[in-house]
Amino acid sequence: MQAQLFKHGKRDDCLPYASTVLECLDNCKLSESNQTLLRKLAVKLVQRLGLTFLKPKVAKWRYQRGCRSLAANLQFSAQVPVVQNLVIAAADEEEYDIPGEVENVIEQLLIGLKDKDTIVRWSAAKGIGRITGRLPKELADDVVGSLLDCFSFQETDNSWHGGCLALAELGRRGLLLPSRIADVVPVILKALTYDEKRGACSVGSNVRDAACYVCWAFARAYDPLELKPFVNQISSALVIAAVFDRDINCRRAASAAFQENVGRQGTFPHGIDIVTAADYFAVGNRVNCFLNISVYIASFPEYTQSMIDHLVNTKINHWDGVIRELSTKALHNLTPQVPEYMTNVVLPRLLPLAVGTDLHTRHGAILACAEITHALYKLAAENNRGPELRKGNKRSVTNYFSEKSLEGLKQIHLELCSRQLYRGLGGELMRPAVCTLIEKLSLSKMPFREDPIIDGWQWLINDSLRSLPLVSSTARRQIKEAAVSALAALCNEYYINEQREANPALQGELLQQYISELQNTEEMIRCGFSLALGALPRFLLKGKLQQVLEGLKKVICISHKDVSFAESRRDGLKATAKVCQTVGVKRNGPQDEFVCKDNVIQIYTMLLNGMSDYTTDSRGDVGAWVREAAMTSLMEVTLLLVQNEPELLDANICKQIMCCVAQQSAEKIDRFRAHAGSVFLSLLNFDNPTIPHIPHREELERIFPRSEAVTLNWNAPSQAFPRITQLLGLPTYQYYVLLGLTVSVGGLTETTVRYSAQSLFDYMKKIQNDLGAMNNFCETLLQVFEDNLLNDRVSVPLLKMLDQMLANGCFDIFTAEENHPFSLKLLTLCKEEIKKSKDIQKLRSSIAVFCGMIQFQGDMRKKVLFQLFLLLCHPFPVIRKTTASQVYEMLITYSDIVDPDILDEVMTVLSDTNWDAELPLLREKRNYLCDLMKVPKPQLVSKSAA
């Protein structure tokens, strides 16, 4: 109410009350209040009070920009504008005394700029803008000076943010005179990169965003001539923020501010080109900004060095590891722009940081050294600057390095090792970083052959692979991949002699060491050394292929003690495919050197065994990782063979591959089904040359047209299952596809169950009147059931699927025939499945199947009713109640199975009996039902007889 009074009341009426209200607000200590809304309203009230003390008159001294034409601004570089900016003197300004309370108001607003809530700071900034506009020039300048005190490094990010908002408001209103720009610009440049670490993260994104707002406001407020001395600084800072800021809102704010400056000022170097490349949408993707847009902008000399310096000074030591890695890759991409600067300035600056004390700085500096070195090598290779010292081995990259730099690169590992910096949590960053350094130096062909540092690097790779169980799960994958990549590059560069062969002693020692680790009791060590074997070059595998395959075979096979080692089996399968691709194919070649006719069956057996891995543990279906790797490996090895020695592919192998992949493409997990579908179509559509012996190729090409291979979304059950179920009509695939469909139709995921079941029912309708097709399908169904008896992964979903099929009349063609063999065999399998079972889910599913089987004619009905009456006296009360309920529903649905004279009595017994009661009483009720329906009474078997 007070705020409304001071907002709408006349100045002379409100003035007598203003001092009193202000004194009350001051005594309330508003800054200590925890209520955001109250503090915001208090700030608004304070600024209204301040306006009450001042005459409602716009200051004549404010800055007024003359030319507002965009076209004229864009032509500024060609000619100086005729219209000049004016700061009108306040000679005719009416003199009056400024009340002392105004100082108190401004103080309250300055405090509001440091508030912990953004809306309070924003309100205070606008209040300062309004009040300053009514002050004399000297007092307004004092306000600006007080604002600049908000940007001390002793202040919090809240103070910096509020200060930026206030400066933007003053600039937008023309209250920040050109004489103050020189003081404000350095502050804003610092605010554009403000990033204060706080714990495991940082604060300051709001400050950077507000600093962009200041630059945007200045572009609209000032004439280009006023900002000309600061153009290069502001443009470089905005470009850096637009490309290298971590937060998308800051990148977009900087892009908008840069665009506004290009349009309003027209003096930013290459402004139109940069605005086109780094517009609002382009800067939304952080990776694209760091790796692509930055390269384009750095091609303009005005921005190159400032961008590189920002990455080196600010980003490679960032708290976020992703930013550090992106920054080093950006330095790699920027190196060709200024290679001499990178060599003479940046690299000498990075080498001390790579062995420094700060963990994040050390991590970023090591990665930066690796990336810059590799970029210089690629540049040297393109320019062919260096002499050719050996056949195919150039050392031209050394032209860029001094002896001191080369020694510094070698000393990184030695220094870290001597200071034991590979241990503990810090080691989780140092190990992959130095492994990346090893990889890049090896790829750069650095002249370290026969140097002792090679042994140190090899030790680090081996020790990193052995230490995988000791590191956190988040860092494990990165260390493993970095070590394996480093090993491959190191071997290719430093372990091969002039005859392109390996040292026999080194080869034997390395392979023996790696193969022995494949039987380690730690799963992660198996994973690491499996992938290491897969990464070895051909000259190290020569003559040792069979030994390597035998070692990997032990990793892939499931044994009792390592049944849960799914990750090691996955990596073993990946390594097997990599080894095959490395050694190549030669039909009649020695089996120790090539994939040939003597070992191809062994290789395929190893890979196909992975397709049957359905291991589960607390993490879920971990066997899916193995199956995915097996599918990928089968595809890679098959494509390798068909392109080199297609005669090695026989019909049985192709059949097994296609059938196993088809089964996976019908299963319930969307991601793995999509991968299986992709592999299936890749094998089917490969034509360089065509894969031989694919069963039913013509029918498959009709079901999966080549034109729809890209658009078919295997992840979507609505698209995948209608195609997959068509494979049920192909005899070769029927068993495997039905096995895969079983776990989908009987699964838990609603969409998967709905679309897979509907697709199956649609197929059944098509063959409903084809007795031969129905007999084949039912035989296959029974075979699936028989092969998976007591295998709960398949049998429980199969019972659920049978329940749905019986309810949908899928077997109506057999129900009219008495004692059909299908129903008898199905009943026998169901009885065997639930025998002595204590699985509630399985028992409930079997009850539903028994009730559905009542529709079959003949003696089947008596046998089914006998099984149901057995379950009426099951030891578990929930099973007894479920059986009674479903039998009741069954009698309503199939009323013809009971004599109408006794139907009401049977229904009454089923519904009125308390099936939670004691078993002796329930057996009497159950036997009474047996007498009514003329079903043999189940006999209680004594324990001794049992």
Side-chain angles (χ1 to χ4, degrees), residues 213-233:
Y213 174 41
V214 177
C215 296
W216 179 89
F218 282 8
R220 300 173 68 89
Y222 294 101
D223 190 88
L225 197 61
E226 306 290 355
L227 288 180
K228 187 176 181 181
F230 312 101
V231 160
N232 288 335
Q233 299 176 58

Side-chain angles (χ1 to χ4, degrees), residues 703-831:
I703 296 171
F704 303 102
R706 195 178 291 253
S707 59
E708 299 179 11
V710 178
T711 58
L712 179 59
N713 182 9
W714 289 89
N715 260 317
S718 58
Q719 294 188 40
F721 285 109
R723 301 293 184 91
I724 294 166
T725 49
Q726 295 182 48
L727 300 184
L728 292 170
L730 308 178
T732 305
Y733 298 100
Q734 189 176 66
Y735 176 90
Y736 297 92
V737 174
L738 186 56
L739 179 57
L741 274 175
T742 297
V743 296
S744 295
V745 177
L748 298 175
T749 308
E750 182 183 355
T751 54
T752 303
V753 171
R754 181 168 72 249
Y755 289 111
S756 59
Q758 188 57 52
S759 300
L760 177 62
F761 299 153
D762 290 343
Y763 171 77
M764 296 298 293
K765 287 177 183 177
K766 292 179 184 178
I767 64 171
Q768 194 62 236
N769 297 320
D770 187 340
L771 186 59
M774 281 295 298
N775 282 329
N776 290 334
F777 179 85
C778 291
E779 287 177 10
T780 304
L781 180 62
L782 293 173
Q783 190 64 47
V784 169
F785 200 166
E786 189 172 1
D787 292 345
N788 292 278
L789 269 178
L790 306 181
N791 176 9
D792 290 354
R793 183 190 68 83
V794 177
S795 60
V796 174
L798 180 58
L799 289 171
K800 293 180 180 179
M801 183 180 76
L802 285 168
D803 173 35
Q804 295 184 60
M805 295 178 75
L806 289 165
N808 279 272
C810 293
F811 305 112
D812 284 351
I813 193 173
F814 299 144
T815 55
E817 183 179 339
E818 290 194 6
N819 300 324
H820 192 277
F822 168 72
S823 60
L824 295 172
K825 182 68 177 293
L826 181 59
L827 179 62
T828 303
L829 292 172
C830 288
K831 288 164 57 179

Side-chain angles (χ1 to χ4, degrees), residues 842-882:
K842 182 188 293 186
L843 291 169
R844 280 181 159 178
S845 300
S846 67
I847 294 168
V849 174
F850 287 139
C851 290
M853 290 175 64
I854 202 71
Q855 59 190 289
F856 289 99
Q857 303 290 335
D859 296 338
M860 269 294 299
R861 291 187 170 178
K862 298 291 184 184
K863 295 178 179 180
V864 168
L865 289 171
F866 180 80
Q867 290 299 318
L868 290 170
F869 289 156
L870 269 178
L871 292 170
L872 276 176
C873 290
H874 194 275
F876 296 163
V878 66
I879 298 300
R880 300 198 293 269
K881 289 190 289 186
T882 302

Side-chain angles (χ1 to χ4, degrees), residues 583-589 594-600 604 637-650 653-654 686 688-693:
V583 300
V585 183
K586 190 173 183 181
R587 183 180 182 187
N588 296 313
F594 298 97
V595 176
C596 60
K597 62 181 181 180
D598 295 326
N599 59 19
V600 68
Y604 270 112
V637 173
T638 301
L639 297 184
L640 176 69
L641 290 177
V642 79
Q643 292 178 85
N644 295 278
E645 297 286 353
E647 297 84 2
L648 291 176
L649 282 169
D650 63 28
I653 288 176
C654 286
F686 189 77
N688 189 28
T690 302
I691 297 176
H693 312 303

Side-chain angles (χ1 to χ4, degrees), residues 321-332:
V322 175
I323 296 297
R324 295 197 297 271
E325 292 175 11
L326 280 175
S327 301
T328 59
K329 292 176 183 176
L331 286 172
H332 174 99

Side-chain angles (χ1 to χ4, degrees), residues 544-559:
K544 304 287 185 180
L545 176 59
Q546 205 58 34
Q547 185 181 350
V548 171
L549 290 177
E550 288 296 331
L552 292 173
K553 181 179 179 181
K554 293 178 182 178
V555 175
I556 294 170
C557 291
I558 301 178
S559 62

